[in-house]
Amino acid sequence: MSKNLISIKEIVRKYNIPYSTVNHYTIIGLLTVADRKKNIRLYDEAELKVRLRRIAELRGKGYPLHLIQKELDTV
């Protein structure tokens, strides 16, 4: 099964999320890099959609990022 990979540039455009947010979420472990092509980080789009939806849901409930990280690790 082939993964549908997406770059940060495409994430910013498609999901209307600032580059800095995607970068920060990656650094703290909320989003995981599936592959790299040269200096471009690529994400599995199916996983990304699920994680972004869950992050938004938990942030909406007032969860801080460190608790969201723990919640995502259990899924």
Side-chain angles (χ1 to χ4, degrees), residues 27-42:
I27 290 169
I28 65 172
L30 295 177
L31 301 176
T32 56
V33 176
D35 199 5
R36 290 182 182 271
K37 298 288 183 203
K38 298 186 181 182
N39 199 25
I40 299 172
R41 291 176 285 184
L42 299 171

Side-chain angles (χ1 to χ4, degrees), residues 10-54:
E10 293 168 315
I11 294 168
V12 168
R13 192 171 339 131
K14 189 171 184 176
Y15 295 97
N16 198 28
I17 299 172
Y19 177 91
S20 59
T21 299
V22 177
N23 195 44
H24 181 66
Y25 286 179
T26 301
I27 290 169
I28 65 172
L30 295 177
L31 301 176
T32 56
V33 176
D35 199 5
R36 290 182 182 271
K37 298 288 183 203
K38 298 186 181 182
N39 199 25
I40 299 172
R41 291 176 285 184
L42 299 171
Y43 300 81
D44 176 2
E45 189 168 13
E47 178 185 342
L48 177 81
K49 284 168 60 171
V50 170
R51 291 176 83 84
L52 287 176
R53 187 177 306 121
R54 188 71 176 135

